[in-house]
Structures are given as structure tokens and as C-alpha cells.
Amino acid sequence: MENFDKYPKSVKKAIRYIKQDATKEQLEEIKKFIDYAIKKRSLTLG
């Protein structure tokens, strides 16, 4: 992934957590949260 350094520290930490520590159940829940947030933001931006 190029340009990963341009993202905020919180995003980097979340990605690291997903890659290293999250269980399968947590991954499914995180995916739902992220999908919802992306859809909501996309609608806001038009």
C-alpha cells in the first residue's frame, strides 16, 4: 500500500490491530462499522 504514511495515526493503529490481533468475530464487527461509516460519509459528500 503506497502513501500509507499520509493517514492519521489512529487509522494506522486500527489497521495494525486488524492485521495482528483481531479475532474473526471482531473482524466481522469492525467490517460492519467501517462499511456503515463509509456509506454514510459517501452520502454526505454526494
Side-chain angles (χ1 to χ4, degrees), residues 4-30:
F4 189 72
D5 292 332
K6 72 178 184 177
Y7 291 101
K9 191 177 191 179
S10 59
V11 173
K12 293 178 193 177
K13 284 185 173 188
I15 298 298
R16 186 177 69 224
Y17 176 77
I18 289 168
K19 290 172 74 174
Q20 295 177 357
D21 298 324
T23 65
K24 189 171 186 172
E25 293 80 19
Q26 289 172 326
L27 290 174
E28 292 171 9
E29 193 170 342
I30 292 167

Side-chain angles (χ1 to χ4, degrees), residues 31-42:
K31 185 177 185 323
K32 289 178 189 175
F33 288 136
I34 291 174
D35 286 346
Y36 173 77
I38 289 172
K39 285 179 186 176
K40 190 170 181 179
R41 180 65 177 156
S42 292

